[in-house]
Amino acid sequence: MTTKQRAYLKSLAMTMDPIFQIGKSSITPGLTQAISEALEARELIKISVLQNCTDDPGELAQMIAERTKSQVVQVIGKKIVLYKEGKAEKKKIILPSLSTRTSSDKSR
């Protein structure tokens, strides 16, 4: 994922509300499955880590990303944003392409 694509996903996530909360029981298999299903349906989700969870949000984000085969877009405080590219027929988010250079860039 490029910096431009990550910035685009961050801008989309700014207006989103968290759809999952991680509490003192941390990550359970049921929560992992629910997050995976949400990623399939939405592609981009936000997760809130509650105060009573003693785990580090950055470590939780990496663990969830590995288990759901998704990518961590950002971790700010106790908020995690994850992205998983959808299948071609169900794709909702179109990321900026890798070759979007302006004419001024090409002349250099």
Side-chain angles (χ1 to χ4, degrees):
M1 180 182 309
T2 66
T3 305
K4 190 172 193 174
Q5 291 170 333
R6 189 175 305 277
Y8 175 70
L9 291 173
K10 285 180 183 181
S11 71
L12 292 177
M14 281 178 59
T15 59
M16 294 173 59
D17 290 324
I19 60 171
F20 292 103
Q21 295 179 333
I22 299 174
K24 66 180 175 182
S25 61
S26 194
I27 301 174
T28 62
L31 179 63
T32 304
Q33 180 63 32
I35 290 171
S36 184
E37 290 170 5
L39 282 165
E40 292 291 329
R42 299 176 181 226
E43 296 183 36
L44 186 69
I45 63 167
K46 189 183 277 188
I47 302 168
S48 178
V49 180
L50 300 178
Q51 295 293 329
N52 62 357
C53 181
T54 58
D55 297 327
D56 177 57
E59 292 175 11
L60 288 173
Q62 289 301 322
M63 192 182 316
I64 296 168
E66 288 173 17
R67 292 180 183 178
T68 60
K69 297 177 180 61
S70 61
Q71 295 180 359
V72 178
V73 175
Q74 70 178 354
V75 178
I76 294 183
K78 294 204 172 255
K79 301 278 191 264
I80 300 169
V81 179
L82 298 174
Y83 171 74
K84 183 175 183 181
E85 188 171 354
K87 295 184 173 73
E89 65 275 1
K90 292 184 178 181
K91 200 167 177 104
K92 294 180 180 177
I93 299 173
I94 307 298
L95 293 176
S97 67
L98 299 174
S99 62
T100 53
R101 294 172 56 189
T102 61
S103 57
S104 63
D105 290 341
K106 291 177 184 174
S107 64
R108 292 183 185 163

